């Protein structure tokens, strides 16, 4: 089964299938909600989680392949750009749900956000849009490998920080947020460990 997934879930087909699943999940949760406001808030929570899951996979993919090489981790590296595009779709749906919340109940929207979160989150979306637009080989040639690498590395770490802050600040209200925050921290540790290994040029066995 794993081999079938690696064979058929590839490239833009992978992005399309994941995106379709995301749309279907949002519509299902919307239909199951007793009213529009509840549906929007449920969609915001759902897409926040799907975005985090997809982002962490993309963020840690190359590090995992270096630290624990296997067919699965190699597949993750090969499909990283397409999973990244699926992440952009997920967070695009998240943004649409936030806009819908502001239109449905602006008082609740203001209660749940602030200027710092608005500006910080807005910059994260700028990075997501730029990185999605430059996820193809022509963009690497146009920007140059070094500039492209710096852009995507900076963007990845900024988005990581945005998730860390947004999930971390909710721990005081709900201990269930400890689990995603632990995964966010673990992803950074994995990535930094792989970077240290590469700098020391220690062969992975």
């Amino acid at each position: 089964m794993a081999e079938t997934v690696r064979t058929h879930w590839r490239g833009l087909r992978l992005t399309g299938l994941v995106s379709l699943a995301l749309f279907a999940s949002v519509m299902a949760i919307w239909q199951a909600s007793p009213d529009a406001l509840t549906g929007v808030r449920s969609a915001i929570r759902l897409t926040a989680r799907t975005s985090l899951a997809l982002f962490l996979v993309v963020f840690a993919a190359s590090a995992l392949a270096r630290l624990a090489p296997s067919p699965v981790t190699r597949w993750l590296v090969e499909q990283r750009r397409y999973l990244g595009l699926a992440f952009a779709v997920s967070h695009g749906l998240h943004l649409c749900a936030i806009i819908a919340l502001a239109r449905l109940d602006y008082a609740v929207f203001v209660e749940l956000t602030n200027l710092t979160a608005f500006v910080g989150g807005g910059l994260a979306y700028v990075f997501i849009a730029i990185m999605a637009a430059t996820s193809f080989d022509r963009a690497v040639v146009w920007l140059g490998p070094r500039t492209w690498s710096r852009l995507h590395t900076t963007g990845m770490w900024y988005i990581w920080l945005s998730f860390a802050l947004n999930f971390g600040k909710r721990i005081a209200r709900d201990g269930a947020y400890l689990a995603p925050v632990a995964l966010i921290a673990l992803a950074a540790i994995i990535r930094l460990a792989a970077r240290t290994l590469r700098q020391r040029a220690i062969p992975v066995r």
Side-chain angles (χ1 to χ4, degrees), residues 171-201:
I171 291 176
R173 281 204 318 265
D174 187 349
Y177 282 93
L178 278 169
V181 170
L183 289 175
I184 292 168
L186 178 61
I189 291 169
I190 290 171
R191 187 159 171 144
L192 292 172
R195 180 181 178 182
T196 301
L197 188 65
R198 184 174 65 250
Q199 289 174 340
R200 292 179 179 177

Coordinates of all heavy atoms in Angstrom, one line a residue, residues 171-201:
I171 N -1.9 27.9 24.7 CA -1.7 26.8 25.7 C -2.3 27.2 27.1 O -2.9 26.3 27.8 CB -0.2 26.5 25.9 CG1 0.3 25.9 24.6 CG2 0.1 25.6 27.1 CD1 1.8 25.6 24.7
A172 N -2.2 28.4 27.5 CA -2.7 28.9 28.8 C -4.2 28.7 28.9 O -4.8 28.4 29.9 CB -2.4 30.3 29.0
R173 N -4.9 28.8 27.7 CA -6.4 28.6 27.7 C -6.8 27.1 27.5 O -7.8 26.7 28.1 CB -7.0 29.4 26.5 CG -7.2 30.8 26.8 CD -8.3 31.4 26.0 NE -8.3 31.0 24.6 CZ -7.7 31.6 23.6 NH1 -7.0 32.7 23.8 NH2 -7.8 31.1 22.4
D174 N -6.0 26.4 26.8 CA -6.3 25.0 26.5 C -5.1 24.1 26.4 O -4.3 24.3 25.5 CB -7.1 25.0 25.2 CG -7.7 23.6 24.8 OD1 -7.3 22.6 25.5 OD2 -8.5 23.5 23.9
G175 N -4.9 23.2 27.3 CA -3.7 22.4 27.4 C -3.6 21.5 26.2 O -2.5 20.9 25.9
A176 N -4.7 21.3 25.4 CA -4.6 20.5 24.2 C -3.6 21.0 23.2 O -3.1 20.3 22.3 CB -6.0 20.3 23.5
Y177 N -3.3 22.3 23.3 CA -2.4 22.9 22.3 C -0.9 22.5 22.6 O 0.0 22.9 21.8 CB -2.5 24.4 22.3 CG -3.7 24.9 21.5 CD1 -5.0 25.1 22.2 CD2 -3.6 25.1 20.2 CE1 -6.1 25.5 21.4 CE2 -4.7 25.5 19.4 CZ -5.9 25.7 20.1 OH -7.0 26.1 19.3
L178 N -0.7 21.9 23.7 CA 0.7 21.4 24.0 C 1.2 20.5 23.0 O 2.4 20.5 22.6 CB 0.7 20.7 25.4 CG 0.8 21.7 26.6 CD1 0.6 20.9 27.9 CD2 2.2 22.3 26.7
A179 N 0.3 19.6 22.5 CA 0.7 18.6 21.5 C 1.2 19.2 20.2 O 2.3 18.9 19.7 CB -0.4 17.6 21.2
P180 N 0.4 20.1 19.6 CA 0.9 20.8 18.3 C 2.2 21.6 18.6 O 3.1 21.6 17.7 CB -0.3 21.6 17.8 CG -1.2 21.7 19.0 CD -1.0 20.5 19.8
V181 N 2.2 22.3 19.7 CA 3.4 23.1 20.0 C 4.7 22.2 20.1 O 5.8 22.5 19.7 CB 3.2 23.9 21.3 CG1 4.5 24.6 21.7 CG2 2.2 25.0 21.0
A182 N 4.5 21.0 20.7 CA 5.6 20.0 20.8 C 6.0 19.6 19.5 O 7.2 19.4 19.2 CB 5.2 18.9 21.7
L183 N 5.1 19.4 18.5 CA 5.4 19.0 17.2 C 6.2 20.1 16.4 O 7.1 19.8 15.7 CB 4.2 18.6 16.4 CG 3.5 17.3 16.8 CD1 2.2 17.1 16.1 CD2 4.4 16.1 16.6
I184 N 5.7 21.3 16.7 CA 6.4 22.5 16.1 C 7.9 22.5 16.5 O 8.8 22.7 15.7 CB 5.6 23.8 16.4 CG1 4.3 23.8 15.7 CG2 6.4 25.0 16.0 CD1 3.3 24.8 16.2
A185 N 8.0 22.4 17.8 CA 9.4 22.4 18.4 C 10.2 21.2 17.9 O 11.4 21.4 17.5 CB 9.3 22.4 19.9
L186 N 9.6 20.1 17.8 CA 10.3 18.9 17.3 C 10.8 19.1 15.9 O 11.9 18.7 15.5 CB 9.5 17.6 17.4 CG 10.0 16.3 16.9 CD1 11.3 16.0 17.7 CD2 9.0 15.2 17.0
A187 N 10.0 19.7 15.0 CA 10.3 19.9 13.6 C 11.6 20.8 13.5 O 12.5 20.5 12.7 CB 9.2 20.5 12.9
A188 N 11.6 21.8 14.4 CA 12.8 22.7 14.4 C 14.0 22.0 14.9 O 15.1 22.1 14.3 CB 12.5 23.9 15.3
I189 N 13.9 21.1 15.9 CA 15.0 20.4 16.4 C 15.6 19.4 15.3 O 16.8 19.3 15.1 CB 14.6 19.6 17.6 CG1 14.3 20.5 18.8 CG2 15.7 18.5 18.0 CD1 13.7 19.9 20.0
I190 N 14.6 18.7 14.6 CA 15.0 17.8 13.5 C 15.8 18.6 12.4 O 16.8 18.2 12.0 CB 13.8 17.1 12.9 CG1 13.2 16.1 13.9 CG2 14.1 16.4 11.6 CD1 11.9 15.6 13.5
R191 N 15.3 19.7 12.1 CA 15.9 20.5 11.0 C 17.3 21.0 11.4 O 18.2 21.0 10.7 CB 15.0 21.7 10.6 CG 15.5 22.5 9.4 CD 14.4 23.2 8.8 NE 14.9 24.1 7.8 CZ 14.3 24.4 6.6 NH1 13.1 23.8 6.4 NH2 14.8 25.2 5.8
L192 N 17.4 21.5 12.7 CA 18.7 22.0 13.2 C 19.7 20.9 13.3 O 20.9 21.1 13.1 CB 18.5 22.7 14.5 CG 17.7 24.1 14.4 CD1 17.4 24.6 15.8 CD2 18.5 25.1 13.6
A193 N 19.2 19.7 13.7 CA 20.1 18.5 13.9 C 20.7 18.1 12.5 O 21.9 17.8 12.4 CB 19.3 17.4 14.5
A194 N 19.8 18.1 11.5 CA 20.3 17.8 10.2 C 21.3 18.8 9.7 O 22.3 18.5 9.0 CB 19.1 17.7 9.2
R195 N 21.0 20.1 10.0 CA 22.0 21.1 9.6 C 23.3 21.0 10.2 O 24.4 21.1 9.6 CB 21.4 22.5 9.9 CG 22.2 23.7 9.5 CD 21.6 25.0 9.9 NE 22.4 26.1 9.5 CZ 22.1 27.4 9.8 NH1 21.0 27.7 10.4 NH2 23.0 28.4 9.5
T196 N 23.3 20.7 11.5 CA 24.6 20.4 12.3 C 25.3 19.2 11.7 O 26.5 19.3 11.5 CB 24.3 20.2 13.7 OG1 23.6 21.3 14.3 CG2 25.6 19.9 14.5
L197 N 24.6 18.2 11.3 CA 25.2 17.0 10.8 C 25.8 17.3 9.4 O 26.9 16.9 9.1 CB 24.1 15.9 10.6 CG 24.6 14.5 10.1 CD1 25.4 13.9 11.2 CD2 23.4 13.7 9.8
R198 N 25.1 18.1 8.6 CA 25.7 18.5 7.3 C 27.0 19.4 7.5 O 27.9 19.2 6.7 CB 24.6 19.3 6.5 CG 25.1 19.6 5.1 CD 24.0 20.3 4.3 NE 23.6 21.6 4.9 CZ 22.4 21.8 5.5 NH1 21.5 20.8 5.6 NH2 22.1 23.0 5.9
Q199 N 26.9 20.3 8.4 CA 28.1 21.2 8.6 C 29.3 20.4 9.1 O 30.4 20.7 8.7 CB 27.8 22.3 9.6 CG 26.8 23.3 9.1 CD 26.3 24.3 10.1 OE1 26.4 24.1 11.3 NE2 25.8 25.4 9.7
R200 N 29.1 19.3 9.9 CA 30.2 18.5 10.4 C 30.6 17.5 9.4 O 31.6 16.8 9.6 CB 29.8 17.9 11.7 CG 29.6 18.8 12.8 CD 29.2 18.1 14.1 NE 29.0 19.0 15.2 CZ 28.6 18.7 16.4 NH1 28.3 17.4 16.7 NH2 28.5 19.6 17.4
A201 N 29.8 17.3 8.3 CA 30.1 16.3 7.3 C 30.2 14.9 7.8 O 31.1 14.2 7.4 CB 31.3 16.8 6.5

